[in-house]
């Protein structure tokens, strides 16, 4: 009888343990929608080949990176809030989609113009109930093998609310600021 009681008790404990497990958290994925950035005239004649962008460390991974305003030196990653693609790949695609009206980005490896990029910063900064998107990109443009422009661009954009969806929109807006500055830097006489 003791053996039967032990088995019944073990089954009851097993069922009780199964009932108390919280549901599995749901992953949330975020993507960037193209921004419309245009110039009056093509800033650069000829097609531009866009090389795959690079990123290092946390910026090479899909989890959204964040920092708290009180401790900006410490970066963290959200566990269940992810970019659809790694930031370098996503920013490259976003740049091509956003600057298609301003530049001819259809070039291949034979194009005389080439654009290389690196994601240096791509995070959410949280301060109480406010947050902002902070992005930094290194962009290098070469023409006929000579460096025409090489600069690190920084932009910040407050989010409309504290949601991560609003943060993704703020990231699009921050990137649009960088693209506009990049086009301005490419303008003749600049």
């Amino acid at each position: 009888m003791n053996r039967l009681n032990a088995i019944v008790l073990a089954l009851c404990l097993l069922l009780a343990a199964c009932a108390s497990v919280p549901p599995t958290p749901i992953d949330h994925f975020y993507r960037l929608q193209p921004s419309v950035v245009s110039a009056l005239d093509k800033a650069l004649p000829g097609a531009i080949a866009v090389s795959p962008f690079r990123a290092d460390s946390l910026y090479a991974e899909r989890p959204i990176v964040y920092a708290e305003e009180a401790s900006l030196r410490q970066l963290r990653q959200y566990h269940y809030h992810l970019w659809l693609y790694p930031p370098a790949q996503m920013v490259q695609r976003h740049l091509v989609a956003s600057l298609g009206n301003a530049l001819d980005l259809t070039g291949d490896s034979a194009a005389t113009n080439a654009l290389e990029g690196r994601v240096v910063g791509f995070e959410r900064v949280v301060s109480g109930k406010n947050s902002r998107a902070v992005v930094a990109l290194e962009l290098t443009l070469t023409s006929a093998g000579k460096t025409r422009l090489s600069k690190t661009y920084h932009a910040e954009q407050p989010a409309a609310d504290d949601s991560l969806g609003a943060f993704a929109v703020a990231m699009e807006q921050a990137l649009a600021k960088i693209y506009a500055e990049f086009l301005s830097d490419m303008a003749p006489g600049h």
Side-chain angles (χ1 to χ4, degrees):
M1 189 70 148
N2 284 340
R3 188 175 187 164
L4 181 59
N5 288 342
I7 291 173
V8 170
L9 179 61
L11 284 174
C12 288
L13 290 174
L14 182 62
L15 288 174
C18 290
S20 65
V21 174
T24 304
I26 298 171
D27 288 336
H28 299 273
F29 297 93
Y30 300 87
R31 61 182 167 192
L32 300 176
Q33 298 296 323
S35 305
V36 178
V37 181
S38 60
L40 296 176
D41 297 318
K42 294 282 185 192
L44 182 69
I48 302 171
V50 181
S51 300
F53 280 22
R54 300 178 326 270
D56 300 319
S57 188
L58 295 177
Y59 303 122
E61 300 174 15
R62 290 178 46 215
I64 292 177
V65 175
Y66 73 98
E68 294 179 2
E69 183 74 41
S71 58
L72 290 175
R73 292 181 189 269
Q74 181 181 23
L75 297 176
R76 300 176 184 174
Q77 292 178 317
Y78 288 108
H79 294 291
Y80 304 104
H81 295 279
L82 312 159
W83 292 113
L84 187 57
Y85 300 104
Q89 181 182 356
M90 192 170 51
V91 170
Q92 178 195 0
R93 289 179 178 179
H94 187 260
L95 179 138
V96 169
S98 298
L99 294 181
N101 292 332
L103 298 170
D104 180 0
L105 299 172
T106 61
D108 58 13
S109 59
T112 58
N113 302 305
L115 178 64
E116 294 179 354
R118 184 168 82 97
V119 176
V120 180
F122 202 74
E123 67 238 23
R124 179 180 193 223
V125 175
V126 181
S127 175
K129 290 190 175 188
N130 299 318
S131 70
R132 67 183 186 274
V134 178
V135 63
L137 301 179
E138 285 180 0
L139 297 176
T140 302
L141 178 68
T142 58
S143 295
K146 295 182 182 176
T147 301
R148 177 178 172 155
L149 174 65
S150 184
K151 183 176 175 180
T152 300
Y153 295 89
H154 300 270
E156 294 187 15
Q157 179 67 40
D161 60 47
D162 198 34
S163 70
L164 282 158
F167 158 70
V169 171
M171 187 58 79
E172 294 166 1
Q173 294 166 341
L175 286 167
K177 289 178 183 179
I178 287 176
Y179 303 157
E181 185 178 348
F182 174 67
L183 288 176
S184 174
D185 289 346
M186 289 177 51
H190 190 273

